[in-house]
Amino acid sequence: MKKIITTICAAWTLIFLSTGTLLADASNFAGPYVGVSASGYGLQLNGTSRTAAGTQGGAIDIDEVSIGQVAPLTGLQAGYAIPLGSMFLLDVGVAHYSGEAKLEYHNDNEKQNTTSVGAKDISFTVGDLNQAWIAPTIALTDSSSVYVKLGLSEAQVSTSGDITSPGDLSGQTWAMGTRTVLENGIFITTEAGYTDYNGISAHGKGTTVSAANSYSAEPTIAFGAVSLGFRF
């Protein structure tokens, strides 16, 4: 995470130092906008299950699971770019993305060598991502700009199996991107970034999964996105 932030800050510093020779008009990017996006999300889920003593062989059993998934996401976004002088802007926006990824634990013999779900199997599903951001922007030319995005992200979490429901995920997003605006107001944005979410945890309800059993997961996301939109 620190390396990614350092790289973004270094790139932004180089761009900032080079703006002395640029002639651009920030007003070409200013104002409200809407857009649609297509993204590729690489989701890493690191999970741990702790089975209480007496439920499996009379001993505490700790299993660690790590899975990676690449999922396509589509989204809608809206925002407002506020001009701050002739070359600088502050972009404020929100977005909603649809997609999901799942982390499963299989602790019941009913699952072995079958496609059925055992009574003691549980899963976490992460989906429906929401994001709000601010993005300091530099206009490089009358039609091209670059930005650094700092955002807050949330994702809904659902569960299956005899476990409690954890709260939704929240985290911080860092990203860097470019925007090209045409004379008719249509723009194309390319972006790459990283989201670091807080962990989620749950425990058994006591029916088929012991209340002493606990489960946790720590998701992180790296993504690339392309957006097509219109500036009013």
Side-chain angles (χ1 to χ4, degrees):
M1 179 65 175
K2 291 182 179 180
K3 290 183 179 180
I4 295 175
I5 295 174
T6 300
T7 301
I8 291 175
C9 291
W12 185 253
T13 300
L14 290 175
I15 294 170
F16 182 81
L17 293 175
S18 68
T19 56
T21 59
L22 298 176
L23 295 176
D25 185 3
S27 63
N28 291 340
F29 303 89
Y33 65 85
V34 294
V36 295
S37 66
S39 309
Y41 271 58
L43 175 63
Q44 179 70 29
L45 279 170
N46 298 313
T48 301
S49 67
R50 180 184 178 90
T51 304
T55 60
Q56 287 189 2
I60 294 176
D61 187 16
I62 299 177
D63 295 319
E64 294 187 356
V65 179
S66 181
I67 63 171
Q69 295 186 8
V70 177
L73 274 73
T74 57
L76 300 174
Q77 58 183 235
Y80 197 101
I82 305 168
L84 302 174
S86 60
M87 297 174 57
F88 299 94
L89 304 100
L90 183 64
D91 185 348
V92 180
V94 295
H96 173 78
Y97 304 96
S98 298
E100 67 177 35
K102 179 180 288 186
L103 175 64
E104 297 178 306
Y105 297 98
H106 304 300
N107 293 323
D108 193 273
N109 290 333
E110 294 176 38
K111 184 66 177 181
Q112 295 179 2
N113 301 320
T114 72
T115 58
S116 64
V117 178
K120 296 180 182 178
D121 296 333
I122 66 98
S123 68
F124 294 107
T125 300
V126 179
D128 289 336
L129 310 179
N130 297 301
Q131 190 179 94
W133 67 81
I134 59 172
T137 302
I138 295 178
L140 301 178
T141 68
D142 288 345
S143 60
S144 298
S145 65
V146 295
Y147 61 86
V148 170
K149 176 184 288 186
L150 311 175
L152 297 177
S153 299
E154 292 186 349
Q156 294 182 0
V157 178
S158 60
T159 62
S160 65
D162 186 39
I163 60 172
T164 58
S165 297
D168 290 340
L169 287 169
S170 61
Q172 296 180 333
T173 296
W174 298 76
M176 190 171 184
T178 65
R179 175 172 293 177
T180 301
V181 179
L182 305 180
E183 291 183 1
N184 58 7
I186 294 175
F187 66 83
I188 299 174
T189 299
T190 59
E191 181 178 300
Y194 178 91
T195 300
D196 186 16
Y197 284 107
N198 66 309
I200 52 177
S201 61
H203 58 82
K205 292 181 178 180
T207 303
T208 59
V209 177
S210 170
N213 289 11
S214 61
Y215 306 86
S216 63
E218 296 183 0
T220 54
I221 288 178
F223 64 89
V226 177
S227 302
L228 179 67
F230 183 78
R231 179 185 65 85
F232 296 98

